[in-house]
């Protein structure tokens, strides 16, 4: 039982390049989330998927797109990377049927945009 | 803009002391409150949640909630150097589809 996995762990991009961050969970959770974490700013929600087939914007969606490929997988795409997108990206999942909404986090992807 | 505020610290306490971490939130209708611990370079992990006014204890950890004052706190008794981490407060707010809003975190250092 791996929990939430993310690939890659590290990535360096040049401005304007594109990439997709992958996330998968094996806990049969309905809801999945993408956050970014910048120094001193806590976790900010980029996009979330309450259930398979649905996605919604969070607090900071500009410059990103997401795909809920199936119940297990939720990817985050940067179409044209900018230095302001240098951050640590965390994927999380939770069981929508659990009223306390504990979110389980993946190990993170450390992205640098030059 | 719904907000969750924490003192950023750093907070330093000697080993064996009580560490007190505080969090305030702006949405009076918030329903559930969470404390996550994040070690440097690692992902957040849940240590406590609380949804009713009062205290909730789990081992050395006690979460306290006061909805009238819109205030939630985490007490760590008999602090250990292994407790040194950043503690994130998170709030599930009214109407949010299972979303959490996180504070910026308080960095705690427990000195041997």
């Amino acid at each position: 039982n791996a929990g939430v996995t993310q690939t890659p762990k590290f990535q360096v991009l040049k401005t304007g390049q594109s990439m997709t961050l992958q996330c998968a969970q094996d806990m049969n959770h309905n809801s999945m989330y993408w956050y970014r974490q910048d120094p001193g700013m806590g976790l900010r929600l980029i996009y979330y998927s309450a259930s398979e087939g649905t996605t919604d914007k969070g607090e900071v969606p500009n410059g990103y797109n997401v795909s809920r490929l199936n119940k297990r997988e939720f990817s985050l795409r940067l179409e044209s990377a900018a230095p302001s997108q240098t951050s640590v990206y965390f994927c999380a999942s939770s069981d929508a049927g659990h009223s306390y909404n504990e979110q389980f986090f993946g190990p993170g992807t450390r992205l640098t945009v030059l | 803009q719904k907000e969750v505020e924490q003192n950023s610290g750093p907070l330093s306490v000697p080993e064996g002391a009580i560490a007190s971490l505080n969090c305030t939130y702006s949405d009076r209708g918030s329903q559930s409150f969470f404390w996550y611990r994040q070690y440097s370079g690692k992902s957040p992990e849940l240590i406590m949640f609380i949804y009713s006014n009062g205290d909730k204890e789990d081992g050395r950890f006690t979460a306290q909630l006061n909805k009238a004052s819109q205030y939630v706190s985490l007490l760590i008794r008999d602090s250990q150097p292994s407790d040194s981490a950043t503690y994130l407060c998170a709030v599930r707010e009214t109407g949010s589809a299972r979303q959490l809003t996180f504070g910026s975190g308080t960095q705690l250092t427990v000195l041997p």
Side-chain angles (χ1 to χ4, degrees):
Chain A
N1 189 343
V4 180
T5 57
Q6 292 182 237
T7 55
K9 287 186 169 53
F10 300 93
Q11 184 71 50
V12 178
L13 293 177
K14 295 181 179 178
T15 297
Q17 287 185 317
S18 63
M19 77 162 296
T20 300
L21 281 64
Q22 306 286 355
C23 174
Q25 52 92 10
D26 62 3
M27 295 175 282
N28 201 35
H29 287 167
N30 290 312
S31 301
M32 298 185 73
Y33 313 83
W34 275 106
Y35 293 92
R36 61 177 288 173
Q37 187 174 37
D38 302 300
M41 298 193 72
L43 290 158
R44 292 185 292 168
L45 184 65
I46 305 171
Y47 271 93
Y48 67 98
S49 172
S51 62
E52 186 178 356
T54 68
T55 61
D56 286 286
K57 296 178 180 179
E59 181 186 354
V60 288
N62 291 344
Y64 305 95
N65 285 300
V66 290
S67 295
R68 184 73 182 268
L69 304 171
N70 47 56
K71 190 172 186 178
R72 290 188 62 250
E73 299 173 289
F74 188 38
S75 63
L76 178 72
R77 183 161 178 83
L78 287 71
E79 291 291 352
S80 179
S84 60
Q85 294 178 305
T86 294
S87 190
V88 180
Y89 291 84
F90 288 103
C91 177
S93 71
S94 69
D95 182 355
H98 194 300
S99 61
Y100 307 134
N101 194 43
E102 176 181 358
Q103 293 188 12
F104 296 84
F105 285 83
T109 294
R110 284 149 183 80
L111 175 66
T112 301
V113 182
L114 303 175
Chain B
Q1 179 73 22
K2 298 174 182 176
E3 295 182 346
V4 178
E5 300 284 346
Q6 294 182 254
N7 290 329
S8 60
L11 173 66
S12 294
V13 300
E15 184 174 355
I18 296 175
S20 177
L21 305 164
N22 304 316
C23 175
T24 59
Y25 57 94
S26 63
D27 183 357
R28 187 169 290 279
S30 297
Q31 300 174 358
S32 308
F33 307 86
F34 304 81
W35 284 100
Y36 282 81
R37 177 177 62 200
Q38 185 176 25
Y39 292 114
S40 180
K42 302 296 185 181
S43 56
E45 56 178 336
L46 183 70
I47 53 173
M48 291 282 292
F49 69 86
I50 187 168
Y51 58 96
S52 297
N53 275 329
D55 295 359
K56 179 181 179 182
E57 188 174 318
D58 184 1
R60 296 186 295 111
F61 299 95
T62 299
Q64 299 175 317
L65 175 61
N66 183 327
K67 289 187 176 180
S69 300
Q70 296 175 237
Y71 176 91
V72 59
S73 65
L74 179 70
L75 301 178
I76 306 174
R77 292 182 301 280
D78 188 23
S79 295
Q80 302 296 311
S82 59
D83 296 324
S84 298
T86 295
Y87 290 80
L88 301 167
C89 173
V91 175
R92 181 184 162 214
E93 297 169 339
T94 309
S96 60
R98 309 293 177 182
Q99 296 176 58
L100 297 179
T101 299
F102 284 82
S104 58
T106 298
Q107 184 180 343
L108 172 67
T109 300
V110 180
L111 303 170

